Structures are given as structure tokens and as C-alpha cells.
Amino acid sequence: MSADEMLAARPALWDGGHEFFAWARRMRAEHPVAHETTTNTWHLFRHEDIRRILSDPSTFSAELDRVMPIETFTRGNIATMDPPQHPRMRKLVNQAFTARTVQDLGERIRAVSDELLGHVERRTEFDLVSEVTYQLPIIIIAELLGVPAGDRELFRSWVDDMLDPPYDQLTDLLDNEAVMNARRALDDYLLEKAHQRRREPRQDLISRLVSAEVDGERLADEDVVGFASFLLLAGSLTTTVLLGNTMRSLAENPRADLRVREDPALVPQLVEEVLRYRPSFLPARRVTLHDVVVSGVEIPANSFLTGSIMSANHDEEVFAQPDRFDIHRTDNPHLAFGHGGHFCLGAPLARLESRTLLEMLFTRMPDLELAADSTIPIYGNPDVFGPKRLPVTRGRRGGRV
């Protein structure tokens, strides 16, 4: 089959990605670099190639608005910046989002997890996503930013409106009324908070962002809003879908489920294997700055590239038995959090939240299992991979988690 035919035959992810694993294996073998003529997009599937485009900003630009009019989504978004702006912005942000800040959140993450589990642990049925795994990261992010926790349902409505609609190209989002209304509402909300913090600073991340300086330079309000919006979206969704993917993966692998319950010290390895096996975010996007050859294929300058993180994480040249879920995997250079200068700032927080909640969940609800024959809906947005809802039961026969 031609590359276009293979790309058109790309399977959906409703089965948890199993059909995709087989399809991606064939793409890596037959069309590791595939040009989709209908969208003029170059798709990459091998770990080596995707790691390369993430590591070389002199050839592969993160500024996607070079080739498409999406400034609405890129202003202040550190993920879509190149040097010298990116390292300067990252240095500014690092002053406010330090490793110490994350470490100090450990006690609060445990307290919030305890409260959320306390609300559901006496119930026989509930939705694990909406009542636990979504709530934890949005509460922590809201508190970190310095906005009222009572507004988290408002945040959720904006996140759902922005991230659930399916699309073929990023520019499709500009024509989606719900997406654009949600984006404007979130930006207006965060802009008001930035103005407030310039007048009355507090001990929160927005205050640190508006006051942070490098060589006398401060962030404009629009940049503060862009970063805070990116942090809210990525920070909340990453942990939510990571935890949902963990539950689903354990239900499919009862031996791994038993082992990690018997030995909680395996939880960190479990989290890393889930990140490899079912990464929360799927594409790595770049624009070529000049003509370049990737896996023997010449790609012209100003071409739009999309690398499949899930395919990279299942590359048999890097991972032994890549389609096998293995919590004992020790050599695990997955790309779920990116690579190089754009490695995810929120990775330590997502890992800490996930490990903390999972350890507490396994201890307090040893009989938790997926509801038998339940449908597991996933986000419609092709960038995000994970359960939007996850019905669970206590002490019944079903898919144990």
C-alpha cells in the first residue's frame, strides 16, 4: 500500500491502541517517513527520527505558526518557541516553577488524594476519572497558579471544550466556536488574575511569573497568560489521562496488577511503563527550517512534521517486545515527556501526583475493578490519549485494576 493509503487506514484508538500498535509497526517498516498529500504533512514513526526532530532546533522549529495561522494557540506557549526566545522564557519560568516548588507540593498532593478517596471509598460504583483522577491535578494546578479551587469546574468546562473536539489539522480549531469561546474565556480569566497580581502580589505561581526577571526582562501579561493556560491544560490533562491509562493497562494485565499491589515499590516503574505504552499526548510537531533528509527521505524546507510519540515508544529497535506491557522494564527511554530543550517542565509534578495517588488507591481500595462490560470513552481530540470516563466498582467481578 502507498503511504497515503496506509495513513488513510490509520485505526482509531477506541480499543486502547492495540490495532494502532500493529499499524504503526508496519509504518515503521514500510513508510517511516510518510508524506500525506491531502494535508501536506510529513509523518514520522521511528524513535530515532522523532528524538532527532525534538533535539535539533537549528533544523526543526517548534514555531508552528511559521506555516499555519495559529498565533492564538502559540502566544506565550513555551512548547512552540525556538532559541533564543525559548531558553530565555524557560529560564524565566524556571524561577517560578522550581524543583523545590514541586517537592514542597508532596504533602498537599497526599492530603488532596486522601480527601478525594475519602469521598468515594465507601461507594460501590463511581467514575474514577471525574471524581478522583481529574480532580487531583486540577486542584493542585489551581492552587499552584493561585486561583480559587472553587473555579475548577469552570476550568474543566473550558478544558473539555478545547480538547474534546476531533480535527484533522490544527487550523480546524480556529473554526470551532466552542473551542474559540473557551479559549477566550480562559485567557480573559487568567489575564484578570495577572493584572491583580501585578497590583497585589501573592505567594503563587502567577505572582512569581509576573515578577520574575532575567537580565532586567519581565514577561508581558499576554505571555503570562499563554504560559499559565498551557500549564493548566497540559498539567491537568497529563496526570488525568496517565492515571486513567494506568487503570486500563492494569485491568488488561492482571499479573502486573497483582505484582504492583504486592510490592508498591514498583509504582514508579509502573508509571514509566504506562507513559511508554500509552503516552498521554501523541504528536511531536515541528517545521523544517531547511531541506533535510530523514530516514533516507528528503523533506523540503518549511514542511510541517508530525512525529507519533506512541509509535516511537513502541519501536522494536529501541524496546524489547515493545507491544508487551512490562512493569519490570528497566531500559525505558520513552518520549512521553518529549526530549531535549523542550522536555516537559511539568513531568516531575505529573510523576509525583500519579505515584502518590496510585500508592494510596492500591492501599485503600484493594478490591477496585473496572465495571464489567463498561464502555471506556476516550477524548475525541487526536492529540490526547486516555479515558474521559472510567466506570469502576468495588468487590464485583469485572476487569480488576
Side-chain angles (χ1 to χ4, degrees), residues 301-337:
N302 298 314
S303 292
F304 183 61
L305 311 183
T306 296
S308 169
I309 296 295
M310 188 142 74
S311 177
N313 285 356
H314 286 254
D315 191 334
E316 51 283 318
E317 294 297 321
V318 179
F319 304 96
Q321 296 182 281
D323 297 342
R324 177 181 176 227
F325 184 77
D326 181 7
I327 63 172
H328 299 287
R329 193 182 299 274
T330 54
D331 187 13
N332 194 355
H334 65 74
L335 300 178
F337 287 129

mmCIF file of all heavy atoms in Angstrom, residues 301-337:
data_model
loop_
_atom_site.group_PDB
_atom_site.id
_atom_site.type_symbol
_atom_site.label_atom_id
_atom_site.label_comp_id
_atom_site.label_asym_id
_atom_site.label_seq_id
_atom_site.Cartn_x
_atom_site.Cartn_y
_atom_site.Cartn_z
ATOM 1 N N ALA A 301 12.306 22.451 2.896
ATOM 2 C CA ALA A 301 12.185 23.493 3.915
ATOM 3 C C ALA A 301 10.731 23.915 4.062
ATOM 4 O O ALA A 301 9.920 23.780 3.140
ATOM 5 C CB ALA A 301 13.048 24.691 3.523
ATOM 6 N N ASN A 302 10.388 24.406 5.255
ATOM 7 C CA ASN A 302 9.037 24.896 5.560
ATOM 8 C C ASN A 302 7.982 23.800 5.440
ATOM 9 O O ASN A 302 6.838 24.073 5.081
ATOM 10 C CB ASN A 302 8.668 26.087 4.671
ATOM 11 C CG ASN A 302 9.579 27.269 4.888
ATOM 12 O OD1 ASN A 302 9.855 27.639 6.028
ATOM 13 N ND2 ASN A 302 10.070 27.845 3.802
ATOM 14 N N SER A 303 8.384 22.572 5.758
ATOM 15 C CA SER A 303 7.432 21.459 5.783
ATOM 16 C C SER A 303 6.960 21.217 7.209
ATOM 17 O O SER A 303 7.709 21.376 8.173
ATOM 18 C CB SER A 303 8.087 20.183 5.245
ATOM 19 O OG SER A 303 8.360 20.291 3.864
ATOM 20 N N PHE A 304 5.709 20.832 7.330
ATOM 21 C CA PHE A 304 5.097 20.551 8.638
ATOM 22 C C PHE A 304 5.275 19.072 8.956
ATOM 23 O O PHE A 304 4.873 18.208 8.175
ATOM 24 C CB PHE A 304 3.615 20.932 8.590
ATOM 25 C CG PHE A 304 2.896 20.745 9.894
ATOM 26 C CD1 PHE A 304 3.293 21.439 11.026
ATOM 27 C CD2 PHE A 304 1.822 19.864 9.992
ATOM 28 C CE1 PHE A 304 2.631 21.269 12.231
ATOM 29 C CE2 PHE A 304 1.157 19.696 11.190
ATOM 30 C CZ PHE A 304 1.552 20.401 12.318
ATOM 31 N N LEU A 305 5.896 18.783 10.109
ATOM 32 C CA LEU A 305 6.158 17.409 10.521
ATOM 33 C C LEU A 305 5.316 17.040 11.733
ATOM 34 O O LEU A 305 5.134 17.851 12.646
ATOM 35 C CB LEU A 305 7.634 17.216 10.902
ATOM 36 C CG LEU A 305 8.723 17.715 9.960
ATOM 37 C CD1 LEU A 305 10.093 17.349 10.523
ATOM 38 C CD2 LEU A 305 8.539 17.136 8.576
ATOM 39 N N THR A 306 4.835 15.802 11.758
ATOM 40 C CA THR A 306 4.157 15.259 12.935
ATOM 41 C C THR A 306 4.770 13.903 13.262
ATOM 42 O O THR A 306 4.657 12.968 12.474
ATOM 43 C CB THR A 306 2.642 15.097 12.687
ATOM 44 O OG1 THR A 306 2.053 16.377 12.465
ATOM 45 C CG2 THR A 306 1.977 14.461 13.894
ATOM 46 N N GLY A 307 5.429 13.825 14.400
ATOM 47 C CA GLY A 307 6.004 12.560 14.843
ATOM 48 C C GLY A 307 5.064 11.866 15.806
ATOM 49 O O GLY A 307 4.507 12.493 16.711
ATOM 50 N N SER A 308 4.861 10.568 15.637
ATOM 51 C CA SER A 308 3.979 9.798 16.506
ATOM 52 C C SER A 308 4.747 9.327 17.738
ATOM 53 O O SER A 308 5.596 8.437 17.656
ATOM 54 C CB SER A 308 3.414 8.586 15.762
ATOM 55 O OG SER A 308 2.756 7.710 16.669
ATOM 56 N N ILE A 309 4.432 9.924 18.900
ATOM 57 C CA ILE A 309 5.099 9.533 20.141
ATOM 58 C C ILE A 309 4.792 8.080 20.483
ATOM 59 O O ILE A 309 5.665 7.331 20.935
ATOM 60 C CB ILE A 309 4.657 10.458 21.297
ATOM 61 C CG1 ILE A 309 5.102 11.905 21.026
ATOM 62 C CG2 ILE A 309 5.230 9.960 22.623
ATOM 63 C CD1 ILE A 309 6.587 12.119 20.993
ATOM 64 N N MET A 310 3.556 7.649 20.246
ATOM 65 C CA MET A 310 3.208 6.272 20.593
ATOM 66 C C MET A 310 3.950 5.289 19.705
ATOM 67 O O MET A 310 4.404 4.237 20.178
ATOM 68 C CB MET A 310 1.707 6.034 20.520
ATOM 69 C CG MET A 310 1.296 4.660 21.070
ATOM 70 S SD MET A 310 -0.234 4.678 21.984
ATOM 71 C CE MET A 310 -1.400 4.839 20.653
ATOM 72 N N SER A 311 4.108 5.601 18.437
ATOM 73 C CA SER A 311 4.890 4.728 17.571
ATOM 74 C C SER A 311 6.340 4.689 18.035
ATOM 75 O O SER A 311 6.959 3.615 18.097
ATOM 76 C CB SER A 311 4.808 5.202 16.121
ATOM 77 O OG SER A 311 5.630 4.400 15.288
ATOM 78 N N ALA A 312 6.905 5.852 18.350
ATOM 79 C CA ALA A 312 8.286 5.899 18.846
ATOM 80 C C ALA A 312 8.447 5.053 20.092
ATOM 81 O O ALA A 312 9.456 4.349 20.265
ATOM 82 C CB ALA A 312 8.687 7.341 19.128
ATOM 83 N N ASN A 313 7.461 5.097 20.973
ATOM 84 C CA ASN A 313 7.525 4.356 22.231
ATOM 85 C C ASN A 313 7.308 2.860 22.059
ATOM 86 O O ASN A 313 7.450 2.094 23.017
ATOM 87 C CB ASN A 313 6.495 4.901 23.229
ATOM 88 C CG ASN A 313 6.924 6.221 23.828
ATOM 89 O OD1 ASN A 313 8.019 6.712 23.572
ATOM 90 N ND2 ASN A 313 6.055 6.803 24.639
ATOM 91 N N HIS A 314 6.951 2.445 20.838
ATOM 92 C CA HIS A 314 6.774 1.019 20.543
ATOM 93 C C HIS A 314 7.755 0.561 19.460
ATOM 94 O O HIS A 314 7.534 -0.481 18.836
ATOM 95 C CB HIS A 314 5.334 0.746 20.099
ATOM 96 C CG HIS A 314 4.342 0.781 21.215
ATOM 97 N ND1 HIS A 314 3.756 -0.346 21.746
ATOM 98 C CD2 HIS A 314 3.848 1.820 21.937
ATOM 99 C CE1 HIS A 314 2.936 -0.008 22.724
ATOM 100 N NE2 HIS A 314 2.972 1.303 22.859
ATOM 101 N N ASP A 315 8.831 1.294 19.303
ATOM 102 C CA ASP A 315 9.816 0.977 18.261
ATOM 103 C C ASP A 315 10.653 -0.224 18.702
ATOM 104 O O ASP A 315 11.368 -0.167 19.710
ATOM 105 C CB ASP A 315 10.712 2.190 18.021
ATOM 106 C CG ASP A 315 11.581 2.049 16.780
ATOM 107 O OD1 ASP A 315 11.885 0.904 16.388
ATOM 108 O OD2 ASP A 315 11.967 3.086 16.210
ATOM 109 N N GLU A 316 10.595 -1.303 17.918
ATOM 110 C CA GLU A 316 11.315 -2.534 18.254
ATOM 111 C C GLU A 316 12.825 -2.381 18.175
ATOM 112 O O GLU A 316 13.568 -3.207 18.720
ATOM 113 C CB GLU A 316 10.860 -3.676 17.338
ATOM 114 C CG GLU A 316 10.894 -3.369 15.852
ATOM 115 C CD GLU A 316 9.720 -2.505 15.417
ATOM 116 O OE1 GLU A 316 8.584 -2.748 15.879
ATOM 117 O OE2 GLU A 316 9.960 -1.562 14.622
ATOM 118 N N GLU A 317 13.303 -1.309 17.554
ATOM 119 C CA GLU A 317 14.740 -1.054 17.518
ATOM 120 C C GLU A 317 15.246 -0.488 18.842
ATOM 121 O O GLU A 317 16.454 -0.458 19.087
ATOM 122 C CB GLU A 317 15.075 -0.063 16.388
ATOM 123 C CG GLU A 317 14.804 -0.599 14.990
ATOM 124 C CD GLU A 317 15.684 -1.799 14.676
ATOM 125 O OE1 GLU A 317 16.868 -1.793 15.072
ATOM 126 O OE2 GLU A 317 15.179 -2.753 14.040
ATOM 127 N N VAL A 318 14.325 -0.059 19.702
ATOM 128 C CA VAL A 318 14.694 0.567 20.972
ATOM 129 C C VAL A 318 14.192 -0.233 22.169
ATOM 130 O O VAL A 318 14.886 -0.350 23.191
ATOM 131 C CB VAL A 318 14.138 2.008 21.040
ATOM 132 C CG1 VAL A 318 14.482 2.672 22.375
ATOM 133 C CG2 VAL A 318 14.672 2.834 19.874
ATOM 134 N N PHE A 319 12.996 -0.828 22.044
ATOM 135 C CA PHE A 319 12.367 -1.518 23.161
ATOM 136 C C PHE A 319 12.184 -3.002 22.846
ATOM 137 O O PHE A 319 11.649 -3.349 21.785
ATOM 138 C CB PHE A 319 10.997 -0.901 23.480
ATOM 139 C CG PHE A 319 11.048 0.572 23.760
ATOM 140 C CD1 PHE A 319 10.787 1.497 22.755
ATOM 141 C CD2 PHE A 319 11.379 1.037 25.016
ATOM 142 C CE1 PHE A 319 10.837 2.858 22.992
ATOM 143 C CE2 PHE A 319 11.441 2.406 25.272
ATOM 144 C CZ PHE A 319 11.173 3.311 24.263
ATOM 145 N N ALA A 320 12.618 -3.854 23.762
ATOM 146 C CA ALA A 320 12.389 -5.289 23.604
ATOM 147 C C ALA A 320 10.908 -5.583 23.796
ATOM 148 O O ALA A 320 10.279 -5.066 24.715
ATOM 149 C CB ALA A 320 13.213 -6.067 24.632
ATOM 150 N N GLN A 321 10.330 -6.408 22.896
ATOM 151 C CA GLN A 321 8.906 -6.750 22.947
ATOM 152 C C GLN A 321 8.068 -5.489 23.245
ATOM 153 O O GLN A 321 7.387 -5.405 24.264
ATOM 154 C CB GLN A 321 8.651 -7.813 24.012
ATOM 155 C CG GLN A 321 9.337 -9.137 23.723
ATOM 156 C CD GLN A 321 9.021 -10.186 24.781
ATOM 157 O OE1 GLN A 321 9.592 -10.182 25.874
ATOM 158 N NE2 GLN A 321 8.101 -11.076 24.466
ATOM 159 N N PRO A 322 8.106 -4.522 22.354
ATOM 160 C CA PRO A 322 7.516 -3.211 22.643
ATOM 161 C C PRO A 322 6.013 -3.212 22.869
ATOM 162 O O PRO A 322 5.493 -2.327 23.558
ATOM 163 C CB PRO A 322 7.878 -2.384 21.407
ATOM 164 C CG PRO A 322 8.084 -3.385 20.324
ATOM 165 C CD PRO A 322 8.679 -4.575 21.000
ATOM 166 N N ASP A 323 5.285 -4.176 22.288
ATOM 167 C CA ASP A 323 3.833 -4.190 22.456
ATOM 168 C C ASP A 323 3.410 -4.974 23.687
ATOM 169 O O ASP A 323 2.217 -5.177 23.911
ATOM 170 C CB ASP A 323 3.163 -4.756 21.201
ATOM 171 C CG ASP A 323 3.416 -3.877 19.979
ATOM 172 O OD1 ASP A 323 3.799 -2.704 20.164
ATOM 173 O OD2 ASP A 323 3.265 -4.372 18.845
ATOM 174 N N ARG A 324 4.380 -5.398 24.468
ATOM 175 C CA ARG A 324 4.104 -6.089 25.726
ATOM 176 C C ARG A 324 4.174 -5.084 26.869
ATOM 177 O O ARG A 324 5.128 -4.325 26.986
ATOM 178 C CB ARG A 324 5.124 -7.201 25.959
ATOM 179 C CG ARG A 324 4.946 -7.933 27.282
ATOM 180 C CD ARG A 324 6.014 -9.007 27.447
ATOM 181 N NE ARG A 324 5.918 -9.653 28.741
ATOM 182 C CZ ARG A 324 6.949 -9.889 29.553
ATOM 183 N NH1 ARG A 324 8.165 -9.545 29.180
ATOM 184 N NH2 ARG A 324 6.775 -10.484 30.711
ATOM 185 N N PHE A 325 3.155 -5.072 27.713
ATOM 186 C CA PHE A 325 3.141 -4.192 28.883
ATOM 187 C C PHE A 325 3.964 -4.844 29.985
ATOM 188 O O PHE A 325 3.599 -5.891 30.505
ATOM 189 C CB PHE A 325 1.696 -3.963 29.345
ATOM 190 C CG PHE A 325 1.562 -2.994 30.479
ATOM 191 C CD1 PHE A 325 1.659 -1.626 30.246
ATOM 192 C CD2 PHE A 325 1.338 -3.421 31.775
ATOM 193 C CE1 PHE A 325 1.537 -0.714 31.281
ATOM 194 C CE2 PHE A 325 1.207 -2.526 32.823
ATOM 195 C CZ PHE A 325 1.306 -1.166 32.576
ATOM 196 N N ASP A 326 5.085 -4.231 30.347
ATOM 197 C CA ASP A 326 6.048 -4.866 31.252
ATOM 198 C C ASP A 326 6.493 -3.872 32.317
ATOM 199 O O ASP A 326 7.314 -2.993 32.064
ATOM 200 C CB ASP A 326 7.250 -5.360 30.436
ATOM 201 C CG ASP A 326 8.292 -6.068 31.305
ATOM 202 O OD1 ASP A 326 8.026 -6.283 32.505
ATOM 203 O OD2 ASP A 326 9.371 -6.392 30.770
ATOM 204 N N ILE A 327 5.968 -4.014 33.533
ATOM 205 C CA ILE A 327 6.314 -3.083 34.602
ATOM 206 C C ILE A 327 7.720 -3.316 35.144
ATOM 207 O O ILE A 327 8.214 -2.514 35.949
ATOM 208 C CB ILE A 327 5.292 -3.160 35.762
ATOM 209 C CG1 ILE A 327 5.300 -4.545 36.405
ATOM 210 C CG2 ILE A 327 3.906 -2.783 35.288
ATOM 211 C CD1 ILE A 327 4.463 -4.610 37.679
ATOM 212 N N HIS A 328 8.376 -4.381 34.707
ATOM 213 C CA HIS A 328 9.746 -4.647 35.133
ATOM 214 C C HIS A 328 10.761 -4.140 34.112
ATOM 215 O O HIS A 328 11.968 -4.388 34.268
ATOM 216 C CB HIS A 328 9.940 -6.145 35.372
ATOM 217 C CG HIS A 328 9.049 -6.699 36.444
ATOM 218 N ND1 HIS A 328 9.235 -6.445 37.788
ATOM 219 C CD2 HIS A 328 7.938 -7.487 36.375
ATOM 220 C CE1 HIS A 328 8.303 -7.054 38.505
ATOM 221 N NE2 HIS A 328 7.497 -7.682 37.666
ATOM 222 N N ARG A 329 10.294 -3.440 33.106
ATOM 223 C CA ARG A 329 11.190 -2.901 32.084
ATOM 224 C C ARG A 329 12.131 -1.887 32.732
ATOM 225 O O ARG A 329 11.701 -0.952 33.402
ATOM 226 C CB ARG A 329 10.355 -2.244 30.982
ATOM 227 C CG ARG A 329 11.115 -1.913 29.714
ATOM 228 C CD ARG A 329 10.197 -1.226 28.699
ATOM 229 N NE ARG A 329 9.086 -2.078 28.309
ATOM 230 C CZ ARG A 329 9.138 -2.973 27.330
ATOM 231 N NH1 ARG A 329 10.267 -3.142 26.657
ATOM 232 N NH2 ARG A 329 8.079 -3.693 27.034
ATOM 233 N N THR A 330 13.423 -2.068 32.531
ATOM 234 C CA THR A 330 14.400 -1.165 33.142
ATOM 235 C C THR A 330 14.984 -0.171 32.136
ATOM 236 O O THR A 330 15.276 0.971 32.486
ATOM 237 C CB THR A 330 15.545 -1.962 33.786
ATOM 238 O OG1 THR A 330 16.116 -2.840 32.811
ATOM 239 C CG2 THR A 330 15.031 -2.777 34.973
ATOM 240 N N ASP A 331 15.174 -0.593 30.898
ATOM 241 C CA ASP A 331 15.684 0.300 29.862
ATOM 242 C C ASP A 331 14.480 0.906 29.142
ATOM 243 O O ASP A 331 13.897 0.281 28.270
ATOM 244 C CB ASP A 331 16.569 -0.482 28.889
ATOM 245 C CG ASP A 331 17.261 0.427 27.880
ATOM 246 O OD1 ASP A 331 17.253 1.651 28.098
ATOM 247 O OD2 ASP A 331 17.796 -0.089 26.880
ATOM 248 N N ASN A 332 14.112 2.129 29.531
ATOM 249 C CA ASN A 332 12.839 2.678 29.081
ATOM 250 C C ASN A 332 12.979 4.151 28.663
ATOM 251 O O ASN A 332 12.439 5.050 29.307
ATOM 252 C CB ASN A 332 11.794 2.547 30.197
ATOM 253 C CG ASN A 332 10.377 2.785 29.698
ATOM 254 O OD1 ASN A 332 10.154 3.131 28.551
ATOM 255 N ND2 ASN A 332 9.407 2.609 30.570
ATOM 256 N N PRO A 333 13.688 4.419 27.550
ATOM 257 C CA PRO A 333 13.873 5.813 27.101
ATOM 258 C C PRO A 333 12.682 6.339 26.302
ATOM 259 O O PRO A 333 12.819 6.783 25.156
ATOM 260 C CB PRO A 333 15.132 5.715 26.230
ATOM 261 C CG PRO A 333 15.041 4.352 25.619
ATOM 262 C CD PRO A 333 14.415 3.465 26.686
ATOM 263 N N HIS A 334 11.498 6.280 26.907
ATOM 264 C CA HIS A 334 10.297 6.729 26.195
ATOM 265 C C HIS A 334 10.350 8.242 25.969
ATOM 266 O O HIS A 334 11.112 8.972 26.615
ATOM 267 C CB HIS A 334 9.042 6.330 26.963
ATOM 268 C CG HIS A 334 8.901 7.003 28.301
ATOM 269 N ND1 HIS A 334 8.540 8.327 28.435
ATOM 270 C CD2 HIS A 334 9.052 6.525 29.572
ATOM 271 C CE1 HIS A 334 8.477 8.650 29.718
ATOM 272 N NE2 HIS A 334 8.794 7.585 30.430
ATOM 273 N N LEU A 335 9.499 8.695 25.044
ATOM 274 C CA LEU A 335 9.458 10.109 24.684
ATOM 275 C C LEU A 335 8.151 10.771 25.115
ATOM 276 O O LEU A 335 7.755 11.792 24.556
ATOM 277 C CB LEU A 335 9.632 10.259 23.169
ATOM 278 C CG LEU A 335 10.944 9.716 22.589
ATOM 279 C CD1 LEU A 335 10.954 9.887 21.066
ATOM 280 C CD2 LEU A 335 12.149 10.394 23.209
ATOM 281 N N ALA A 336 7.482 10.201 26.109
ATOM 282 C CA ALA A 336 6.177 10.708 26.521
ATOM 283 C C ALA A 336 6.239 12.156 27.001
ATOM 284 O O ALA A 336 5.267 12.901 26.861
ATOM 285 C CB ALA A 336 5.582 9.821 27.610
ATOM 286 N N PHE A 337 7.368 12.554 27.585
ATOM 287 C CA PHE A 337 7.530 13.931 28.039
ATOM 288 C C PHE A 337 8.432 14.740 27.104
ATOM 289 O O PHE A 337 8.931 15.793 27.476
ATOM 290 C CB PHE A 337 8.103 13.966 29.454
ATOM 291 C CG PHE A 337 7.119 13.548 30.518
ATOM 292 C CD1 PHE A 337 7.454 12.570 31.456
ATOM 293 C CD2 PHE A 337 5.867 14.124 30.599
ATOM 294 C CE1 PHE A 337 6.563 12.188 32.432
ATOM 295 C CE2 PHE A 337 4.957 13.748 31.580
ATOM 296 C CZ PHE A 337 5.304 12.778 32.507
#
